[in-house]
Amino acid sequence: MLMRTDPFREMDRIVQQLSGASGTWSKPSVMPMDAYRQGDVYVIAFDLPGVSTEAIDIDVERNMLTVKAERRPAGKSDGVQMELSERPLGVFSRQVVLADALDTEHIEAEYDAGVLTLRIPIAERAKPRKISIGGASGRKQISG
């Protein structure tokens, strides 16, 4: 048997259930994420605990990155009686507008310990370049 000791957590769970916090395909829940730059790579990490890799869909269209995932209830066998169910189920989605400075053709994705990590390289055209000035004619030349 499981004992509940935090009445406020229980109230939060009830409010979430009444407000329809479980995501559906037409109205998915938002998944938490972190985003940061690490050298010449932009990293986005999404929390998706308990979601199988087959239930994760990553899509990029122009500058719009969309991540969708679905967590279904654990398979219940006969004789199992649920005592407590607090983990959110349903569909989760997040859309992120990517800057033009990112190379969306070379996104790498990995999933480990419930965290989906996307690594998006900075496009070559967006990296700093040195501009040299030509000889007597004064023409400028860009080197990359």
Side-chain angles (χ1 to χ4, degrees):
M1 179 182 267
L2 198 56
M3 300 296 293
R4 295 184 210 126
T5 57
D6 186 357
F8 297 107
R9 180 177 291 171
E10 183 65 14
M11 286 175 51
D12 287 343
R13 185 183 64 77
I14 291 169
V15 169
Q16 285 179 348
Q17 284 181 339
L18 292 175
S19 67
S22 291
T24 63
W25 284 105
S26 61
K27 187 177 179 186
S29 298
V30 176
M31 65 187 81
M33 68 173 238
D34 290 335
Y36 54 92
R37 184 173 173 166
Q38 186 176 32
D40 286 342
V41 176
Y42 195 72
V43 180
I44 305 175
F46 298 93
D47 278 351
L48 293 169
V51 176
S52 68
T53 55
E54 295 81 26
I56 300 172
D57 183 42
I58 306 166
D59 183 41
V60 177
E61 186 174 334
R62 297 184 188 187
N63 289 24
M64 182 65 71
L65 170 72
T66 303
V67 177
K68 285 188 178 180
E70 183 176 12
R71 182 165 56 202
R72 297 181 176 158
K76 297 177 187 171
S77 60
D78 293 336
V80 173
Q81 180 179 345
M82 183 62 79
E83 293 286 330
L84 179 64
S85 179
E86 293 183 343
R87 298 178 351 161
L89 301 173
V91 179
F92 303 88
S93 180
R94 193 72 184 248
Q95 288 189 313
V96 179
V97 178
L98 302 176
D100 289 332
L102 298 176
D103 184 359
T104 59
E105 297 292 323
H106 296 96
I107 296 176
E108 295 178 5
E110 64 181 51
Y111 185 65
D112 184 41
V115 178
L116 173 66
T117 304
L118 303 180
R119 298 182 190 288
I120 310 167
I122 306 295
E124 287 297 321
R125 68 182 183 283
K127 292 180 182 176
R129 299 180 302 277
K130 186 73 175 166
I131 299 172
S132 60
I133 299 175
S137 66
R139 289 193 332 213
K140 295 182 182 177
Q141 180 179 358
I142 299 175
S143 61

